[in-house]
Amino acid sequence: MKENKIGLVALTALVFSAMVGAGIFSLPQNMAEVAGVNAVLVGWLITGVGILLLAGCFLQLSRAKPELDGGIYIYAREGFGELAGFLSAWGYWLCATIGVVGYLVVAFAALGAFVDTPTFTLFGQGNTLMAFICESIILWAVHLIIVKGIKQASFINLLGTIAKVIPLLLFIGFAYAYFDPNVFKANQSHVSVQTDFIDQVKNTMLITLWVFTGIEGAAVLSARAKNRKDIGLATVIGVVAALILYIAITMLSFGIMNQSTIAQLSNPSMAGIMAMMSGTTGKVIISAGLIVSVLASYLSWIIYAAEVPNSAAKYGAFPNVFKKQNHNGASIASLTLTSLTVQLCLVLILFTGESYNTLVLVSTSMILVPYFLVAAYMVKVAFAQKLSVPIKIMGLGASVYGLWLVYAAGLNTLALSLILYIPGTLLFMYSRKQFKLNQHA
């Protein structure tokens, strides 16, 4: 299976591509809609510190527990038992699966901006019949690509990652040239959002968390890494690169337009800002970059989503059928379950007319518990192995960040995630019964 192993560059690209997907192209509008410049700065400060601490947890756990494969699932299981491990795997799988539906929807919404007219709607917000048909074709095409092997799929993702970075750097270059300090200062003193400062900061939290989901990608694929030392390194490199891009794009935008104007832009808002700076050509480049970006991220997330049930099945948290792999190293049952779930969600989108933003909320709510459990496990390992004080502080800091995210998400988001965890417990009970029967056989 050595030929199917993934190297550092491809691992880093998977982490980076999973994080830098659709969200980055809508960041200016998403942030301006809920918070002023100063609150956004504080929000990014909290997120930057918190996400780097979380990345550090993945790095240190890959070194302190090199024998553990599966990342999100296995860390929760080792730290807090079988049920915690399953709930972490279930929540992460749902996050990944629902998230990829959002990527397909927003890709065709971007296409709709090119082909739709006031009198003719072909793709709309990615929820029309034609969008559904095209999304389904891409879904099953990617399914077949991954069936042929994770390494081949990761190479395609690497090419897509390179392609998506070009328009992002182009935007930053133009935004830097057009940045007006007076506009930025005016946005600091005139905040169009009528909520308390702390509420503005809290309202940025799910947005900033959403654009960082994918941080765990290298850990999830740890069993497929050529070199185990690459797992933590790929995570840190991907996170730092993404953080620099996110902050640059968000803050530079506030020096180009008034906050209220940015908040009213249609998404992808980067395209609207680029159009003001460079005309229609720039808008087309950004929109095309969005399409490439979300399709590359979609590939990353499908790989992650299919990997989690496969890893968890080896320990009896998912039914036995999910641990079987074909000669290319792909888990057909796990991949098929994921693809069928995405297809079902696309059907629901078609009939309900829901859009990308709704999917983002649902998807992000499912990742809160898994991230907190990773940080909490780091704390346990740090004290059990008597690791250095900085590592202990890092684990504690990441745990506090995880609790802050739960608080910032609010009761409605927590209630939503709890509802989605309920059916998972039934699957867990069946899987554990099957696992115990096999052990006694």
Side-chain angles (χ1 to χ4, degrees):
M1 201 71 75
K2 186 71 176 177
E3 66 274 9
N4 286 320
K5 296 295 184 178
I6 307 172
L8 175 62
V9 174
L11 269 178
T12 303
L14 281 166
V15 173
F16 180 83
S17 183
M19 288 186 291
V20 182
I24 191 170
F25 291 88
S26 301
L27 259 182
Q29 186 276 335
N30 290 167
M31 289 297 212
E33 188 177 35
V34 300
V37 174
N38 293 330
V40 171
L41 278 169
V42 173
W44 275 123
L45 177 62
I46 294 172
T47 297
V49 172
I51 213 69
L52 287 172
L53 289 173
L54 188 58
C57 289
F58 282 108
L59 172 63
Q60 294 300 329
L61 285 172
S62 71
R63 294 175 176 176
K65 293 287 184 177
E67 72 279 6
L68 298 181
D69 288 322
I72 287 286
Y73 163 71
I74 197 65
Y75 292 155
R77 175 184 178 274
E78 288 294 306
F80 308 101
E82 298 286 352
L83 180 59
F86 171 79
L87 292 176
S88 185
W90 176 256
Y92 183 75
W93 177 76
L94 279 175
C95 169
T97 304
I98 297 171
V100 297
V101 178
Y103 285 136
L104 288 174
V105 170
V106 79
F108 281 91
L111 276 176
F114 288 114
V115 301
D116 292 356
T117 68
T119 58
F120 176 73
T121 300
L122 186 64
F123 295 125
Q125 293 301 308
N127 50 16
T128 64
L129 178 60
M130 181 54 68
F132 169 79
I133 294 171
C134 294
E135 289 157 1
S136 299
I137 291 172
I138 290 176
L139 162 63
W140 294 104
V142 170
H143 179 96
L144 293 176
I145 289 172
I146 298 175
V147 165
K148 293 185 178 296
I150 298 294
K151 183 177 180 181
Q152 288 75 11
S154 66
F155 177 72
I156 294 171
N157 173 76
L158 174 59
L159 297 179
T161 301
I162 295 171
K164 77 164 68 175
V165 168
I166 295 172
L168 295 176
L169 293 178
L170 185 66
F171 177 88
I172 290 174
F174 269 90
Y176 181 79
Y178 278 80
F179 185 85
D180 186 342
N182 293 323
V183 174
F184 189 85
K185 290 178 181 177
N187 280 326
Q188 284 185 300
S189 57
H190 298 92
V191 179
S192 61
V193 179
Q194 302 302 313
T195 55
D196 293 338
F197 184 83
I198 189 65
D199 288 329
Q200 291 178 41
V201 174
K202 285 169 57 180
N203 289 338
T204 68
M205 287 295 102
L206 283 184
I207 298 171
T208 56
L209 176 62
W210 166 246
V211 295
F212 274 110
T213 53
I215 181 179
E216 67 294 325
V220 170
L221 297 173
S222 57
R224 301 181 186 273
K226 282 183 180 178
N227 187 337
R228 302 196 68 86
K229 293 181 180 178
D230 292 343
I231 299 165
L233 186 58
T235 302
V236 173
I237 294 173
V239 168
V240 171
L243 181 61
I244 292 171
L245 282 178
Y246 292 150
I247 294 176
I249 287 171
T250 306
M251 303 318 298
L252 287 173
S253 296
F254 281 113
I256 298 168
M257 289 182 175
N258 293 329
Q259 179 195 346
S260 58
T261 304
I262 298 174
Q264 292 170 8
L265 289 173
S266 58
N267 282 314
S269 51
M270 270 180 62
I273 298 172
M274 191 68 170
M276 193 203 81
M277 296 186 293
S278 62
T280 304
T281 302
K283 181 177 181 178
V284 170
I285 291 173
I286 294 299
S287 298
L290 167 63
I291 295 168
V292 172
S293 180
V294 296
L295 292 179
S297 295
Y298 172 80
L299 182 56
S300 297
W301 276 104
I302 282 289
I303 292 172
Y304 296 168
E307 189 73 9
V308 170
N310 176 243
S311 298
K314 297 172 184 176
Y315 299 91
F318 273 72
N320 288 336
V321 67
F322 290 102
K323 65 183 178 184
K324 297 177 182 178
Q325 297 181 354
N326 68 3
H327 64 281
N328 291 319
S331 172
I332 302 301
S334 185
L335 180 60
T336 301
L337 172 67
T338 300
S339 296
L340 287 174
T341 304
V342 173
Q343 186 69 79
L344 174 61
C345 289
L346 289 174
V347 172
L348 294 175
I349 292 296
L350 175 65
F351 286 102
T352 62
E354 293 294 346
S355 63
Y356 171 74
N357 290 338
T358 303
L359 294 168
V360 168
L361 174 63
V362 176
S363 181
T364 308
S365 70
M366 300 307 298
I367 202 67
L368 299 177
V369 171
Y371 279 174
F372 171 72
L373 290 177
V374 169
Y377 181 54
M378 180 72 258
V379 174
K380 288 191 68 174
V381 170
F383 280 92
Q385 295 189 4
K386 298 181 180 179
L387 300 179
S388 65
V389 172
I391 293 178
K392 292 176 181 176
I393 293 174
M394 179 189 66
L396 290 169
S399 299
V400 171
Y401 175 62
L403 291 174
W404 161 259
L405 288 173
V406 172
Y407 164 71
L411 291 177
N412 290 339
T413 301
L414 288 177
L416 175 63
S417 63
L418 286 175
I419 291 171
L420 292 174
Y421 273 112
I422 291 173
T425 57
L426 301 176
L427 179 64
F428 173 71
M429 292 168 64
Y430 168 78
S431 300
R432 292 306 300 168
K433 182 178 180 181
Q434 184 186 59
F435 184 69
K436 289 177 181 178
L437 287 173
N438 289 338
Q439 283 187 318
H440 289 30

